[in-house]
Amino acid sequence: MNYTREQIMAMDADGLDQTLTEIRSRMNDNDANLDNLNQAVDWIEERRTALREAEQRRAQLRSRIAGGEGNVMRSMNHETNAPRAYSADSPEYRTGLLRHLLGQELSREERDAVTYVATTGDTTNGAANVLPTTMLNSIWDLMEEQHAILGDITMYRTGTIMEIAVRTGITQGDAATVNENAANDDEINTFAKVTLSGKDFSKHVELSYAMQRMSLDAFESFLVSEIAARMGAALAADVMAQINTDYASSTNAVNSAATKKLAFTDVAGAMALLENANGQCVVYGKRATIFNYLVGMVDTTGRPIFQLNAQEGQEGSLIGCPVKVEDAAAANVLWIGFPKNVVGNMIQDIMIESDKDIKKHVVIHSGYARFECKLIAGKSFVKLTVKQS
């Protein structure tokens, strides 16, 4: 069964929750339409936003009527005293949280917004103690810009522990040639279940009382750049380390034939080892590795192999594969493969907390996230190392 936008946009909040539960149970099925499930999650987020905005408009209308801007007719319910609904999307929450972190006085609306989100457990971004949506999106945009691998993998921001099934083999019934009117053997697969329960990632900064006097915009910009730089580096390093752990090292680890030199035959031979294609093949490496060994490479006829292009986030292409700088890769190593086969689960999206150290007269701002990933097809990546001796 595929979901449609019309179905989801007609649901109430309970229906959206039930549909999310269905999607979680279906996404590990072999025949699941992952594109439709991803699209359905987008529609659910859109519908939730619309419901929140409608509730905010109703709350504003109630507030205007209660304040004398309209005549209150006899009501058969108690909605006139209901508090306004806020979320991580609300501008009052953004300015209120930033003022709170800076130790500044909040307006009544900002206090209401911060209190409402904290006490109702708004799960827009995974927890009650969340960053404002615009700020969180800026952090993710910057992290994916600085670390290409984070934007390329299959990322789920579920907010909960996730279990995935990794197929380890087909013992019977794989696709085969059969006689006319004859059925193929029933397919028998072997699977291994992997639970992505998460690892903790943390980064904190200390600001003196004097530095805390900065403006809201300057403070937000500082937190975005600092959290994105350090948390992004940690998350990208974890993804690359997991690929290094999960790839088929017995068959897909190759070295260059020559010392401190990469040849066309090295790259072609490495790409020939790839299996389980999923999306586009990508080449990752440190900037020094790419420009020292790839840019000047030629084929057997002397023609350049590396092609420069103006595509954002890419340095060029190599035999049809985008080449991207990834600082989390090891020196003199190129990773070639299909990043969509890396499944990441963001159990707790990036949040921030603060505390004071009155001995040092500093305010400590601590960023936290919980994340785990897994490469589900070991032969979908190749590790190509340029020998140094």
Side-chain angles (χ1 to χ4, degrees), residues 217-261:
D217 289 342
F219 180 58
E220 181 180 37
S221 178
F222 169 79
L223 288 180
V224 166
S225 60
E226 188 70 14
I227 293 175
R230 304 324 314 149
M231 293 287 278
L235 291 171
D238 184 74
V239 172
M240 298 305 298
Q242 195 65 46
I243 294 173
N244 191 50
T245 298
D246 295 338
Y247 88 109
S249 57
S250 60
T251 59
N252 285 29
V254 295
N255 296 323
S256 60
T259 300
K260 295 185 178 181
K261 185 177 181 181

Side-chain angles (χ1 to χ4, degrees), residues 73 134 148 179 219 228 247 254 260 280 320 355 366 388:
M73 302 299 290
T134 55
N179 294 326
F219 180 58
Y247 88 109
V254 295
K260 295 185 178 181
Q280 190 170 40
D355 199 2
S366 178
Q388 298 300 297

Side-chain angles (χ1 to χ4, degrees), residues 147-163:
H147 296 278
I149 192 70
L150 294 179
D152 291 344
I153 67 174
T154 301
M155 180 74 79
Y156 294 103
R157 293 159 83 170
T158 64
T160 186
I161 294 173
M162 174 180 172
E163 190 175 76

Side-chain angles (χ1 to χ4, degrees), residues 211-335:
M211 292 180 66
Q212 285 277 112
R213 306 294 294 178
M214 68 177 75
S215 68
L216 290 188
D217 289 342
F219 180 58
E220 181 180 37
S221 178
F222 169 79
L223 288 180
V224 166
S225 60
E226 188 70 14
I227 293 175
R230 304 324 314 149
M231 293 287 278
L235 291 171
D238 184 74
V239 172
M240 298 305 298
Q242 195 65 46
I243 294 173
N244 191 50
T245 298
D246 295 338
Y247 88 109
S249 57
S250 60
T251 59
N252 285 29
V254 295
N255 296 323
S256 60
T259 300
K260 295 185 178 181
K261 185 177 181 181
L262 203 58
F264 170 69
T265 52
D266 295 326
V267 176
M271 289 186 173
L273 298 172
L274 291 173
E275 297 181 12
N276 305 108
N278 181 8
Q280 190 170 40
C281 177
V282 182
V283 180
Y284 300 99
K286 286 187 178 295
R287 184 176 299 276
T289 305
I290 292 172
F291 283 88
N292 283 336
Y293 302 117
L294 288 186
V295 173
M297 187 187 300
V298 296
D299 64 14
T300 54
T301 65
R303 292 177 300 182
I305 298 299
F306 183 85
Q307 302 293 322
L308 292 170
N309 62 40
Q311 186 72 30
E312 184 178 359
Q314 300 178 19
E315 301 304 315
S317 61
L318 184 69
I319 318 179
C321 297
V323 177
K324 300 185 179 183
V325 172
E326 180 48 70
D327 291 333
N332 307 310
V333 171
L334 292 173
W335 285 99

Side-chain angles (χ1 to χ4, degrees), residues 129-241:
N129 198 11
V130 298
L131 290 174
T133 300
T134 55
M135 188 175 174
L136 184 64
N137 290 341
S138 296
I139 290 173
W140 273 104
D141 288 344
L142 192 54
M143 286 198 304
E144 292 174 3
E145 179 181 325
Q146 295 173 348
H147 296 278
I149 192 70
L150 294 179
D152 291 344
I153 67 174
T154 301
M155 180 74 79
Y156 294 103
R157 293 159 83 170
T158 64
T160 186
I161 294 173
M162 174 180 172
E163 190 175 76
I164 59 175
V166 179
R167 185 166 63 186
T168 58
I170 303 176
T171 58
Q172 177 183 299
D174 200 357
T177 301
V178 297
N179 294 326
E180 185 176 357
N181 298 324
N184 64 294
D185 294 335
D186 292 335
E187 183 173 307
I188 299 177
N189 296 300
T190 56
F191 290 94
K193 288 189 176 181
V194 177
T195 300
L196 300 180
S197 57
K199 307 173 187 176
D200 287 348
F201 295 83
S202 180
K203 164 65 181 175
H204 75 272
V205 295
E206 294 183 355
L207 296 180
S208 67
Y209 287 1
M211 292 180 66
Q212 285 277 112
R213 306 294 294 178
M214 68 177 75
S215 68
L216 290 188
D217 289 342
F219 180 58
E220 181 180 37
S221 178
F222 169 79
L223 288 180
V224 166
S225 60
E226 188 70 14
I227 293 175
R230 304 324 314 149
M231 293 287 278
L235 291 171
D238 184 74
V239 172
M240 298 305 298

